[in-house]
Amino acid sequence: MSQCPSCNQEIATDASACPACGATLQPSSPQPSPYASPTMTPPAPVYATEVSEGDGTGGVIPYKNPKALIAYYLGILSGLPLIGFPIGIAAFVLGIQGLQARKRNPVIKGSVHAGIGIGCGAIFTILWGLVIVLIVFALLAGK
């Protein structure tokens, strides 16, 4: 219930005129919140165009593509003398599998890590393969 502004009679809140004096009533407008800023506008919606990984690294470490990540680390470790030969082969194979996973699901990252694994794996496999062959020839020639 509310009161008529002209005669102060109690009237229904949804009445359009006072039944006692006949004064037309204006619909009450909602009062603004006292806590709202007068210049406050609602924030513009943000639309995501690409799903990011949302981790603390900013998507730099491709944890959703473990084959590419393992290929990267094995590619770096394949630079170790002699034991780098089998590690380089594993880095090369896992790098290719990491690129295939990235191609199947473009949301996951890791193409650079896979590429580094493939490159280092191939280079060091060839290098250590040649070193092993030279060592074998040197041993056979020394007999």
Side-chain angles (χ1 to χ4, degrees):
M1 300 290 283
S2 63
Q3 290 185 344
C4 173
S6 299
C7 66
N8 290 330
Q9 284 289 333
E10 286 196 19
I11 54 172
T13 28
D14 59 345
S16 60
C18 176
C21 68
T24 56
L25 305 172
Q26 299 289 338
S28 62
S29 62
Q31 295 295 323
S33 170
Y35 302 108
S37 172
T39 59
M40 188 172 100
T41 58
V46 177
Y47 300 104
T49 55
E50 183 179 329
V51 178
S52 65
E53 293 192 25
D55 60 355
T57 65
V60 174
I61 299 176
Y63 66 91
K64 291 184 180 177
N65 192 349
K67 291 182 179 178
L69 188 59
I70 294 170
Y72 171 77
Y73 288 116
L74 289 179
I76 300 299
L77 289 175
S78 67
L80 295 174
L82 300 181
I83 64 167
F85 181 74
I87 294 174
I89 294 171
F92 186 79
V93 171
L94 286 172
I96 290 173
Q97 291 175 351
L99 283 180
Q100 289 171 344
R102 167 89 167 126
K103 186 176 180 181
R104 281 191 305 271
N105 187 1
V107 173
I108 63 173
K109 309 290 184 198
S111 57
V112 173
H113 284 78
I116 291 171
I118 292 169
C120 288
I123 289 170
F124 287 123
T125 298
I126 293 170
L127 175 70
W128 298 130
L130 290 173
V131 169
I132 291 171
V133 167
L134 289 175
I135 290 173
V136 169
F137 281 144
L139 290 175
L140 291 175
K143 286 187 176 181

